[in-house]
Amino acid sequence: MNDLNGKKILVAVSNRGVEQDELTVPLQRLRSAGAEVTVAAPQPGEVETLVGDWEPGDRVPVDATLADVDDSGYDLLLLPGGTLNADALRLDENAQRLAKAFASSSRPVASICHGPWLLVETGLTRGKTLTSYLSIKTDVQNSGGSWKDQEVFRCPTDGWTLITSRNPGDLNAFVGAIDAELSAEARPSLPTHPQPKE
Protein backbone atom coordinates (compact mmCIF):
# COMPACT_ATOMS: atom_id res chain seq x y z
CA MET A 1 0.00 0.00 0.00
CA ASN A 2 1.13 3.53 -0.80
CA ASP A 3 1.07 6.41 1.67
CA LEU A 4 -2.51 7.72 1.57
CA ASN A 5 -2.10 10.41 4.23
CA GLY A 6 -4.36 13.34 3.41
CA LYS A 7 -6.75 11.24 1.31
CA LYS A 8 -10.40 11.02 2.38
CA ILE A 9 -12.69 8.14 1.43
CA LEU A 10 -16.45 8.02 1.92
CA VAL A 11 -18.03 4.57 2.33
CA ALA A 12 -21.79 4.45 1.69
CA VAL A 13 -23.69 1.49 3.14
CA SER A 14 -27.03 0.53 4.63
CA ASN A 15 -27.24 -0.35 8.32
CA ARG A 16 -27.70 -4.07 7.69
CA GLY A 17 -26.65 -6.62 5.14
CA VAL A 18 -23.23 -5.41 4.01
CA GLU A 19 -20.93 -8.31 3.11
CA GLN A 20 -18.52 -8.28 6.05
CA ASP A 21 -15.14 -8.51 4.29
CA GLU A 22 -16.16 -6.07 1.55
CA LEU A 23 -16.49 -3.43 4.26
CA THR A 24 -13.96 -4.42 6.90
CA VAL A 25 -11.00 -5.33 4.65
CA PRO A 26 -10.95 -2.02 2.72
CA LEU A 27 -11.53 -0.11 5.98
CA GLN A 28 -8.57 -1.75 7.70
CA ARG A 29 -6.15 -1.54 4.79
CA LEU A 30 -6.98 1.99 3.67
CA ARG A 31 -6.88 3.35 7.22
CA SER A 32 -3.58 1.55 7.82
CA ALA A 33 -2.22 3.33 4.75
CA GLY A 34 -3.13 6.68 6.30
CA ALA A 35 -6.42 7.46 4.58
CA GLU A 36 -9.28 9.01 6.53
CA VAL A 37 -12.24 6.70 5.91
CA THR A 38 -15.79 7.69 6.90
CA VAL A 39 -18.56 5.07 7.08
CA ALA A 40 -21.93 6.66 6.26
CA ALA A 41 -25.28 4.89 6.63
CA PRO A 42 -28.95 5.93 6.75
CA GLN A 43 -29.10 5.69 10.55
CA PRO A 44 -26.49 6.43 13.23
CA GLY A 45 -25.15 3.63 15.43
CA GLU A 46 -23.74 0.52 13.79
CA VAL A 47 -23.63 -1.41 10.54
CA GLU A 48 -24.62 -5.06 10.98
CA THR A 49 -22.59 -7.01 8.43
CA LEU A 50 -23.37 -10.48 7.10
CA VAL A 51 -21.09 -13.27 5.90
CA GLY A 52 -22.23 -14.84 2.64
CA ASP A 53 -25.49 -12.86 2.82
CA TRP A 54 -26.55 -15.15 5.66
CA GLU A 55 -24.48 -15.48 8.84
CA PRO A 56 -24.16 -12.52 11.24
CA GLY A 57 -20.81 -10.79 10.91
CA ASP A 58 -18.93 -7.98 12.61
CA ARG A 59 -20.58 -4.74 13.67
CA VAL A 60 -18.95 -1.58 12.35
CA PRO A 61 -19.50 1.90 13.85
CA VAL A 62 -21.29 4.48 11.70
CA ASP A 63 -19.33 7.75 11.47
CA ALA A 64 -22.00 9.87 9.74
CA THR A 65 -25.46 9.60 8.26
CA LEU A 66 -25.96 9.66 4.51
CA ALA A 67 -28.30 12.63 4.89
CA ASP A 68 -25.82 14.76 6.82
CA VAL A 69 -22.43 13.89 5.34
CA ASP A 70 -20.82 16.58 3.18
CA ASP A 71 -19.25 14.79 0.22
CA SER A 72 -17.28 17.78 -1.04
CA GLY A 73 -14.07 17.04 0.86
CA TYR A 74 -13.79 13.39 -0.16
CA ASP A 75 -11.51 11.96 -2.83
CA LEU A 76 -13.31 8.67 -3.53
CA LEU A 77 -16.68 6.99 -2.91
CA LEU A 78 -16.58 3.31 -1.91
CA LEU A 79 -19.64 1.08 -2.33
CA PRO A 80 -19.32 -2.39 -0.73
CA GLY A 81 -21.64 -5.21 -1.68
CA GLY A 82 -23.93 -7.63 0.06
CA THR A 83 -27.32 -8.28 -1.53
CA LEU A 84 -29.47 -6.76 1.25
CA ASN A 85 -27.18 -3.77 1.59
CA ALA A 86 -27.01 -2.97 -2.12
CA ASP A 87 -30.73 -3.51 -2.68
CA ALA A 88 -31.61 -1.07 0.13
CA LEU A 89 -28.95 1.46 -0.80
CA ARG A 90 -30.05 1.81 -4.42
CA LEU A 91 -33.43 3.10 -3.23
CA ASP A 92 -31.93 5.56 -0.73
CA GLU A 93 -32.24 9.11 -2.11
CA ASN A 94 -29.20 10.32 -0.15
CA ALA A 95 -27.04 7.49 -1.49
CA GLN A 96 -28.25 8.30 -5.01
CA ARG A 97 -27.35 11.97 -4.47
CA LEU A 98 -23.86 11.08 -3.28
CA ALA A 99 -23.13 8.76 -6.21
CA LYS A 100 -24.24 11.41 -8.69
CA ALA A 101 -22.19 14.08 -6.91
CA PHE A 102 -18.96 12.07 -7.18
CA ALA A 103 -19.47 11.25 -10.86
CA SER A 104 -20.48 14.79 -11.84
CA SER A 105 -17.41 16.24 -10.11
CA SER A 106 -15.03 13.74 -11.78
CA ARG A 107 -14.13 11.96 -8.54
CA PRO A 108 -13.60 8.18 -8.61
CA VAL A 109 -16.12 5.60 -7.39
CA ALA A 110 -15.11 2.07 -6.35
CA SER A 111 -17.76 -0.63 -6.08
CA ILE A 112 -17.65 -4.39 -5.49
CA CYS A 113 -20.05 -7.33 -5.81
CA HIS A 114 -23.70 -6.09 -5.71
CA GLY A 115 -22.53 -2.53 -4.99
CA PRO A 116 -23.04 -1.34 -8.60
CA TRP A 117 -26.83 -1.66 -8.14
CA LEU A 118 -26.75 1.93 -6.86
CA LEU A 119 -24.98 3.00 -10.05
CA VAL A 120 -27.51 1.13 -12.18
CA GLU A 121 -30.35 2.86 -10.34
CA THR A 122 -28.85 6.32 -10.88
CA GLY A 123 -28.05 5.78 -14.57
CA LEU A 124 -24.30 6.01 -13.93
CA THR A 125 -23.52 2.65 -15.56
CA ARG A 126 -24.66 3.88 -18.99
CA GLY A 127 -21.63 3.93 -21.26
CA LYS A 128 -19.35 2.46 -18.58
CA THR A 129 -17.55 -0.89 -18.61
CA LEU A 130 -17.51 -2.69 -15.28
CA THR A 131 -17.62 -5.97 -13.44
CA SER A 132 -19.79 -7.08 -10.51
CA TYR A 133 -21.30 -10.14 -8.92
CA LEU A 134 -22.47 -12.34 -11.78
CA SER A 135 -26.15 -12.15 -10.83
CA ILE A 136 -26.38 -8.44 -11.65
CA LYS A 137 -24.67 -8.73 -15.06
CA THR A 138 -28.03 -8.44 -16.82
CA ASP A 139 -28.96 -5.35 -14.78
CA VAL A 140 -25.68 -3.70 -15.79
CA GLN A 141 -26.24 -4.53 -19.46
CA ASN A 142 -29.89 -3.42 -19.40
CA SER A 143 -28.80 -0.09 -17.93
CA GLY A 144 -26.50 0.59 -20.89
CA GLY A 145 -23.26 -0.66 -19.37
CA SER A 146 -20.83 -3.29 -20.63
CA TRP A 147 -19.92 -6.17 -18.30
CA LYS A 148 -16.56 -7.95 -17.95
CA ASP A 149 -15.62 -11.01 -15.92
CA GLN A 150 -12.40 -9.73 -14.32
CA GLU A 151 -11.17 -9.51 -10.74
CA VAL A 152 -10.89 -5.74 -11.09
CA PHE A 153 -11.68 -3.29 -13.88
CA ARG A 154 -10.95 0.43 -14.13
CA CYS A 155 -13.14 2.49 -16.50
CA PRO A 156 -12.30 6.20 -16.98
CA THR A 157 -14.94 7.02 -19.63
CA ASP A 158 -17.40 9.92 -19.34
CA GLY A 159 -15.03 12.02 -17.27
CA TRP A 160 -14.99 9.97 -14.07
CA THR A 161 -13.28 6.74 -13.02
CA LEU A 162 -15.17 3.63 -11.92
CA ILE A 163 -13.28 0.78 -10.24
CA THR A 164 -15.19 -2.50 -9.85
CA SER A 165 -14.64 -6.07 -8.66
CA ARG A 166 -16.77 -9.21 -8.53
CA ASN A 167 -16.74 -10.66 -5.01
CA PRO A 168 -14.75 -10.96 -1.74
CA GLY A 169 -12.18 -13.15 -3.50
CA ASP A 170 -11.13 -10.08 -5.51
CA LEU A 171 -10.51 -7.82 -2.50
CA ASN A 172 -6.71 -7.73 -2.84
CA ALA A 173 -6.98 -6.47 -6.41
CA PHE A 174 -9.88 -4.15 -5.53
CA VAL A 175 -8.13 -2.43 -2.62
CA GLY A 176 -4.93 -2.31 -4.64
CA ALA A 177 -6.72 -0.49 -7.45
CA ILE A 178 -8.18 2.04 -4.99
CA ASP A 179 -4.73 2.57 -3.52
CA ALA A 180 -3.22 3.09 -6.98
CA GLU A 181 -5.99 5.49 -8.00
CA LEU A 182 -5.60 7.71 -4.96
CA SER A 183 -1.80 7.59 -5.15
CA ALA A 184 -1.85 8.54 -8.84
CA GLU A 185 -3.71 11.77 -8.04
CA ALA A 186 -0.52 13.10 -6.48
CA ARG A 187 1.59 12.20 -9.54
CA PRO A 188 1.43 13.44 -13.14
CA SER A 189 -1.40 11.64 -14.90
CA LEU A 190 -0.50 8.84 -17.28
CA PRO A 191 -2.53 7.87 -20.35
CA THR A 192 -5.00 5.08 -19.59
CA HIS A 193 -5.03 3.83 -23.18
CA PRO A 194 -2.15 3.60 -25.66
CA GLN A 195 -1.76 6.79 -27.67
CA PRO A 196 -2.51 6.51 -31.41
CA LYS A 197 0.56 6.32 -33.60
CA GLU A 198 1.38 9.37 -35.71
Side-chain angles (χ1 to χ4, degrees):
M1 295 288 287
N2 291 290
D3 182 359
L4 298 182
N5 278 304
K7 296 297 182 181
K8 295 181 68 178
I9 299 168
L10 180 62
V11 183
V13 292
S14 62
N15 287 89
R16 188 170 191 274
V18 184
E19 184 64 30
Q20 174 186 278
D21 287 356
E22 292 173 1
L23 174 58
T24 59
V25 170
L27 271 183
Q28 178 184 8
R29 293 187 186 174
L30 294 167
R31 284 175 174 166
S32 294
E36 179 183 330
V37 186
T38 300
V39 176
Q43 301 298 324
E46 292 182 321
V47 175
E48 298 178 36
T49 71
L50 295 177
V51 178
D53 275 337
W54 188 259
E55 297 293 337
D58 295 340
R59 291 174 177 259
V60 177
V62 172
D63 302 309
T65 64
L66 292 172
D68 294 336
V69 71
D70 178 6
D71 71 273
S72 61
Y74 290 91
D75 300 293
L76 179 141
L77 176 64
L78 175 58
L79 303 172
T83 310
L84 294 176
N85 163 64
D87 194 45
L89 203 64
R90 67 176 175 170
L91 299 180
D92 187 291
E93 292 181 359
N94 291 304
Q96 293 175 5
R97 171 182 56 80
L98 290 169
K100 291 175 182 176
F102 273 81
S104 66
S105 58
S106 300
R107 288 173 291 166
V109 176
S111 187
I112 187 168
C113 200
H114 289 79
W117 256 343
L118 174 62
L119 307 176
V120 167
E121 195 71 30
T122 51
L124 294 174
T125 46
R126 181 172 300 280
K128 301 293 273 189
T129 300
L130 62 148
T131 191
S132 68
Y133 195 71
L134 180 60
S135 67
I136 69 169
K137 172 183 176 180
T138 301
D139 296 332
V140 168
Q141 293 173 329
N142 286 343
S143 70
S146 298
W147 191 88
K148 283 191 173 290
D149 185 13
Q150 291 184 206
E151 65 175 0
V152 66
F153 192 83
R154 179 185 184 273
C155 179
T157 61
D158 294 334
W160 63 283
T161 297
L162 175 60
I163 297 166
T164 49
S165 287
R166 301 167 300 186
N167 55 55
D170 298 335
L171 276 167
N172 284 338
F174 182 63
V175 177
I178 293 171
D179 177 53
E181 189 71 26
L182 292 175
S183 300
E185 291 178 6
R187 300 193 298 266
S189 59
L190 300 172
T192 303
H193 301 291
Q195 297 299 301
K197 294 180 180 177
E198 296 289 335

